Structure formats: structure tokens, C-alpha cells
Amino acid sequence: MNIADIATEEYIQVDIDERLGKVRSIFERENPKGTIVTEDDEYVGILGERQLLQSHVEDDAKVQVMVRRNIPRVERTDDVRDVARMLVEGNTKVAPVFEGGELWGIVSEDAILEAVLDNLDVLTVDQIYTDEVVTITEDDSLGKAINYLREHGVSRLPVVNESGRLTGMVTTHDIADFAIRTMERQHTGDRSGDTDRMLDLPVYDLMNSPVETIDHDDTVEEAVEQMFENDYAGLVVSPSGDDTLIAGILTKTDVLRALTYTEEESMDVQITNIKLIDTITREGIVEAITKVTDKYQDMQVQHAHVRFHEHKEKLRGTPLILCQIRLRTNRGQVPGTGEGYGAETAFHVALDKLERNVLELKGVRADEEYEGQVLRKLGEL
């Protein structure tokens, strides 16, 4: 399937010299997944909701200070699997679609998922959800929530009470919407002081409750239908029978990533924020992960996801990078996480952790097989 029947010519367009305040109003009013930015009617880049949230740039500033120019460009004839990979690796919900070198329209994450929805019943939530979840408590401040969203590169935070039970959810959209409405009401007074008071508000005052959850045994088709029905970008994954416990998170991006899984003999590797790769290559990453997984011959890797995230801290100009590696295998999911200055250093720290986890899994498997042999021999006595 190519992207020709999924992309659309309908999109929101703003000029690079437009005020950010006006664009924020557009996001509040129309809730777009992204906005095409142009200069003299020529395509320049994309402006997304997360950028607006994570920036403290004043409303009077122009769009040009925040536009993302490195969004992957899609051709109308591109395969849907390739486009899904582009969106995930570009860390974007929308991408421009070109035809004959001219901007034709856009394609969004939602449009792709709607097009493939009927094919998602072959996957279960348990196969693709993320089990490493960042949570926040009801009493934590809005400022802390924003910092968590930035630091971990996520778009939603489950909210828990003092017993660790799920009570709500706060998202980037919730915070952006609240911030815009608050700023619009502030016509006079000390804007800085008002902002400080806003950041001190407890998450409880802003969170959504109750929370939409999905069982880990449900199909991905059911999960996506639930997201569309409630206009959510993600769901909390709960163990069977208890929707106050958190087993993980399933997002539309997780589903989009699953579309890139292949049945080829070579390992399929997905890299998020690929632009942060400096002194290493995709081929080098694949080769390094393959060497690790080869140490456990019984483990079949269907998919590897490598995610890079850049922190503000730097050492002699080199940014501190967080690298997260996750393998989807026939033995379950195997993670590895590490930090370092530069993508290559961070990757190798994460790779070392991944190797230890792979070997630990191999040891556990060997112990289970040994125990099984002992039990069989005892049964023969």
C-alpha cells in the first residue's frame, strides 16, 4: 500500500513571520496535529504541538524561531511502511507530502492508523506496548510534570495516588490548553509571577480522570479504536481485572512502529531521533546489536527500537544523550539504557546494559531447562 490514498491536501498553513501567539490560538481552536510553515508560499517546515508546549518563547516571537526544518519529506508514491518509519524516526505526528517536487499535502499518524485499522487485529497489546512508564503523583506540581515530559521525551504521564494506584492522566495537550487559556485571561499584572503560580499548581487540578485503560490481552485494533473514539493518543495498559494498576503505556506511535516490523531474516531496526547520530551509522548500530543477540541463539529478534534523547547539559560542546534500546523477541522484551556525551558513547553504554540483560535472560532460560530435566528424571524414578 502506498501513501497516495492516505495523504490529504487539507492542512493548516502559517507564514514563517506569523506571531506564535496566533498559532497557539489555532492549536487551541482546531487541535491540529501539526502546521505547515511557509515563506513566500514555499514550504519551510513543520510546527507541532509539543514544540509549543516545551518552549517558553513569548507570544510576540515569530514562528521562524521554532519551526522544524528537518521533518522527513514524503512522496505520494511511498510505501505506507516506509512512511510509518519516517514519522517515528523523525519524531513527528505529521509530514509534508510532495509530488513532482511540489508540496501536495500532508500525511498524519492518525490517517495511517485509520487506513490499516482492519489489519491490526493480528497483534495484541502485550506484543507492542511499552512497559517502562514514567508516573507523577497527584500532589506534584505542574512545573514538575512539564520537566518530566521534557526529560523523558514523552507526551503523557499517568498520575498515581500515595498508594501508587492510577487516578488520572496529564498530557502535553492538557498543559498546552491550560497554559493558553491562562495567558489569555492575563491582561494586566506581573506575567512572570502569574506564570510561577501556574507552575506551582498541583497536577491533581489539571489531570483527566477516570483514565482510559486497555487490557494487555486485547487486540491492537481494539486499542486504536478506543483511542480514536476518545480522541486519545495513548492508553494505560492494565493487568486483567484491575484498571488501577499500571503495566505499561500503549501509544499511537507504538502502533505506528509496529507497522515497520518485517518478516525478513535480517533484524528490523527502528531509530527515533536519528538526527542525533553523529559518529555512528545505522549500519554500525545494527551490526553491534546483532553481535549481542547472537550470543543467545534461541532468541529470535523480530524488532529492535533504538531511541536517542538530547539533554540540555553539554561537555565542551557535546550534548548529554540518553539512549534506550528495546528488543522485541520471542522471549519477550529486552531493554538496555545508557547516557553519555554524544550519541555514540550513549549507545555503547546502553548496549553494554542490553548485553547483560540478554545474557541474564539466557541464564534464566538455561536454569529453567535444567530444572525441567531434573523434574523429568525424578518423574522417571
Side-chain angles (χ1 to χ4, degrees), residues 311-360:
H311 294 295
K312 291 184 178 180
E313 182 181 340
K314 292 185 178 182
L315 178 64
R316 290 190 289 275
T318 302
L320 179 64
I321 301 291
L322 169 69
C323 178
Q324 298 169 307
I325 307 173
R326 180 175 297 276
L327 304 183
R328 176 176 173 264
T329 81
N330 62 329
R331 302 297 183 191
Q333 296 189 42
V334 187
T337 301
E339 284 186 331
Y341 290 98
E344 183 172 11
T345 301
F347 171 71
H348 285 295
V349 173
L351 189 69
D352 288 342
K353 184 70 67 66
L354 178 72
E355 181 171 3
R356 289 197 293 271
N357 289 337
V358 166
L359 294 177
E360 180 180 346

Side-chain angles (χ1 to χ4, degrees), residues 86 194 244:
M86 290 179 192
D194 290 337
T244 67

